[in-house]
Amino acid sequence: MAFDLVLFGGTGDLTWRKLMPALFQAFRHGKLPAGGRILAVARDERSDDEYRAFIRAKFAEVDAPKQPRDDEFARFAELLHYRRMDLSQPEHYAGLKTWLDERGAATQVLFLATAPHLFTQICAQLGAARINGPQVRVVLEKPLGHDLASAQEINRVVRASFAEQQALRIDHYLGKPSVQNLMALRFGNALFEPLWRRESIANIQITLAESLGVGTRGDFYSQTGALRDMIQNHALQLLTMIAMEPPPTNDADAIRDEKLKVLKSLKPFTPESVARDVVRGQYRAGSIDGKPVPGYLDEPKVPADNGTETFVALRTEVNNWRWAGVPFYLRTGKRLAARQAQIVVNFRPVPHPIFPGSARANKLVIKLQPEDGLELHLLASKGSSQGELLAPVSLDLDFDKAFTSERVGAYERLLMDAIAGRLNLFVRSDEQEQAWRWVEPVLHAWEHDPNGPRVYAAGTWGPPASSAMVARDGCAWDEEQ
Ligand code: BG6
């Protein structure tokens, strides 16, 4: 299937850091459909060969196993083309249309890897230039809006040029193999579904912890914060996958309808519940892996006295029959004690314990990062001479080891899906808007809260108030159990 993939923002960070390595991996794995062209678009003048040399040099900065050998790059580079465009100029879009029409590829994927404020302009110009036929898909990277109104405005402009099924909103967490595995775990096995409800589950914890700080993105981050950067999208998408009802089919809309229902069932926040159930924090200097690191306010490009949160922990509930009363705890932060992304499903203890000292309940840990796997924590008899002493044991599945050759990274998967027109792992506009609707009361409450974020030392698990919030329900975060 011939395809053209156009990367707007062709010289930007996202392109060379994530997209080119992912495309190269797909090429190396033989997954990139034959006969494709990749066209990078950016402002400055350069030839195809100059662009190829630019990308070749940038590959030095990606992980060593993902770097191409010279002969591999030479073959990959044949797919790469470059075109200068001023994104405000209609005639430059007309030129792009001519380039695309000459080939008339069956699939044309336009990936907007530009600064987000350009999305609406690009979509409107694409529509005006009629680069929006049924063979065209447009891929939008987060952040999609800053609040509900700005997200709706982007969607309005996108919709004026493209049908919903042509607009692919990326949440790269959905491309992670462990997240797809969540669907497989729940709906490909009969084992868990009967237990997947309030009668058996005590609480669910979603942790997206990073040990990195805001790095060089201080200017972006200081206007964004952890709630917008991680909770509104990645954490809520994971929550929907955990909490959704079984979809009737594996089709994109069947899945997205169920995810939307979860978002609509989330307990709405009020100013009182924000004060009680949401903890925001900001890191101060501390140490990571034994090395001192600066505080957030000392990071490059962070304005003095910036009150943006780098940590959020919150408690919510899914108000429906399956989940009523079960706490869902979500937590994310920069400069935390570890890079760890996981979902912990804590089951209820046995109703009538007959073994002394065996109060520990089962738990299922779905690990997204750093490793990709599943742990089921059980109790087993030690077989000792002192009677029935039970000890915790776990069944550990390491998917990276189990499926070595087939695992692909998030961007590789999502780019291949975009080219193939598989929409399951992309976010529909109504889901995205509903997620904004749910986080907005938190943003509003914070605007009126003179206290600002609580401080925490880099290298810890966030402000102590996060543990206290969970402890109020008689629970503890996984690392404290
Ligand atoms: C991005 C956020 O969406 O996700 C970043 O903007 C964050 O701030 C990143 O670091 C985390 O992604 P991953 O895949 O490294 O967990």
Side-chain angles (χ1 to χ4, degrees), residues 448-461:
H448 298 107
D449 171 12
N451 294 321
R454 296 164 194 268
V455 299
Y456 61 99
T460 65
W461 282 103

Side-chain angles (χ1 to χ4, degrees), residues 279-284 296 305-311 446 449-456 463:
V279 173
R280 59 174 162 156
Q282 193 184 75
Y283 63 87
R284 293 290 175 265
Y296 169 71
D305 297 331
N306 181 252
T308 298
E309 80 288 353
T310 61
F311 173 94
W446 285 350
D449 171 12
N451 294 321
R454 296 164 194 268
V455 299
Y456 61 99

Side-chain angles (χ1 to χ4, degrees), residues 160-217:
S161 298
F162 299 97
E164 178 70 40
Q165 64 274 19
Q166 290 178 284
L168 279 48
R169 293 169 196 79
I170 283 209
D171 184 306
H172 78 279
Y173 265 67
L174 294 182
K176 292 188 190 275
S178 37
V179 178
Q180 295 142 42
N181 234 326
L182 199 50
M183 292 284 286
L185 177 81
R186 291 196 56 200
F187 307 127
N189 295 284
L191 199 61
F192 292 106
E193 202 48 30
L195 302 178
W196 214 256
R197 54 191 64 251
R198 63 194 299 280
E199 290 79 2
S200 311
I201 292 180
N203 64 75
I204 292 182
Q205 306 183 356
I206 300 177
T207 294
L208 305 180
E210 296 182 88
S211 52
L212 292 177
V214 295
T216 54
R217 296 159 78 222

Side-chain angles (χ1 to χ4, degrees), residues 17 31 87 104 200 214 236 286 290 336 406-407:
R17 236 186 250 287
K31 297 282 160 51
L87 297 175
S200 311
V214 295
L236 281 187
L336 295 184
E406 278 144 83
R407 306 255 95 184

